[in-house]
Amino acid sequence: QLVLLDGKFSALPPVVAEGRRVIANIDRVANLFLTKTVYAVLLALSVGIAGLIAHWTGHSPISYPFQPIHVTISAWFTIGVPAFILSLAPNNERAKTGFVRRVLTQAVPNGLIVGAATFVCYLLVNPGGEFSTMGAEKAFDTEQTQAATATLMTMIAIAWWVLVVVARPLNWWKLLLVGVAALAYVAIFLMPWTQELFMLDSGNGRMMAIGGICAAVGIVAVEVSSRILKAWLDRKAIAERAEAHREAERAGAVLTG
């Protein structure tokens, strides 16, 4: 409910615009956070199931591929800072029905793609051996750190592309946002002092190449999935509007009859 203190209805357009901005931006931000939730859960389940299978078959178990600091930096420029900026951005898009369906339809497939590509990359680059249990009391060896770095690169790259998809349509400040996010991660992965600070090692070309290939496949999958699902949502929205229009016409005919 609104109370017009000055009795002027000219105050309503800004109120409507602010409501549209909040609703549309919540849509984008929810998409980012739910995507992260899905791929984090999928990665944890995949590692747990793989560990059980390894235990039952007598093989060396694998463990979670990341250190806690890796999980922290992965969200800095793919979710945290971008979500804050997108939530405050101007947006005049009209409010649409079906918020939950729309967010789930976009975020769940993207999260599954990020989690699956990350896990596959880790399986390909995991060196195994004595230090294969990440998070153990012993320090990582060089190969294990390199494997974690390549796997983290895969996850961040695909999550960054999810940000690009969510931020569309892109204008100058959104291009600046995604560009700065990409450059920030490039710096983190390449600068010696940031590698030491965040326990990274990008010196293994073979592992980084595998990570790059997995990231490229995941990015293509996210793009294709997003385009297909967006087209499906648009068709469904058009059909629902047409049905609502027909219902209104039938109700009007009954009242006039």
Side-chain angles (χ1 to χ4, degrees):
Q1 296 180 354
L2 296 175
V3 177
L4 299 177
L5 298 179
D6 55 3
K8 297 179 180 179
F9 285 95
S10 60
L12 289 179
V15 173
V16 174
E18 180 66 13
R20 288 179 176 179
R21 183 186 70 82
V22 171
I23 293 174
N25 290 342
I26 287 176
D27 198 319
R28 288 195 171 98
V29 172
N31 201 322
L32 290 176
F33 278 96
L34 186 56
T35 297
K36 180 190 177 183
T37 301
V38 172
Y39 72 68
V41 171
L42 177 63
L43 190 58
L45 289 175
S46 299
V47 171
I49 293 171
L52 289 175
I53 294 174
H55 176 73
W56 292 333
T57 58
H59 293 83
S60 298
I62 65 170
S63 64
Y64 197 73
F66 304 127
Q67 288 272 35
I69 189 62
H70 296 160
V71 179
T72 300
I73 64 175
S74 70
W76 279 354
F77 303 108
T78 59
I79 298 174
V81 174
F84 175 75
I85 295 174
L86 289 174
S87 68
L88 301 176
N91 196 323
N92 293 322
E93 184 179 349
R94 295 185 63 180
K96 303 176 183 178
T97 59
F99 169 79
V100 175
R101 179 181 63 195
R102 187 167 58 253
V103 171
L104 289 176
T105 301
Q106 296 171 344
V108 172
N110 289 340
L112 293 176
I113 292 169
V114 176
T118 302
F119 185 64
V120 169
C121 176
Y122 185 55
L123 291 179
L124 294 174
V125 301
N126 179 31
E130 182 181 358
F131 299 102
S132 64
T133 304
M134 307 192 88
E137 294 180 359
K138 298 180 180 179
F140 294 169
D141 64 359
T142 301
E143 285 190 343
Q144 192 66 41
T145 302
Q146 292 171 346
T149 303
T151 306
L152 183 64
M153 182 191 70
T154 297
M155 185 174 73
I156 288 176
I158 307 174
W160 174 81
W161 192 257
V162 172
L163 170 63
V164 173
V165 172
V166 169
R168 290 171 179 167
L170 298 174
N171 52 24
W172 69 268
W173 67 265
K174 290 180 182 177
L175 287 172
L176 180 63
L177 173 64
V178 298
V180 169
L183 290 176
Y185 280 122
V186 170
I188 288 174
F189 275 80
L190 294 182
M191 296 176 65
W193 70 272
T194 54
Q195 291 193 52
E196 181 179 358
L197 178 64
F198 299 122
M199 302 179 183
L200 301 172
D201 186 350
S202 57
N204 191 311
R206 183 188 68 84
M207 290 185 182
M208 296 301 289
I210 293 173
I213 293 172
C214 292
V217 172
I219 287 172
V220 171
V222 166
E223 182 66 25
V224 172
S225 171
S226 298
R227 288 178 181 270
I228 292 174
L229 292 173
K230 184 179 183 300
W232 177 77
L233 286 172
D234 290 342
R235 289 195 301 268
K236 194 170 185 62
I238 293 173
E240 289 177 349
R241 286 196 297 268
E243 180 62 26
H245 182 68
R246 287 192 293 268
E247 288 289 341
E249 288 182 341
R250 285 195 291 266
V254 170
L255 291 174
T256 56

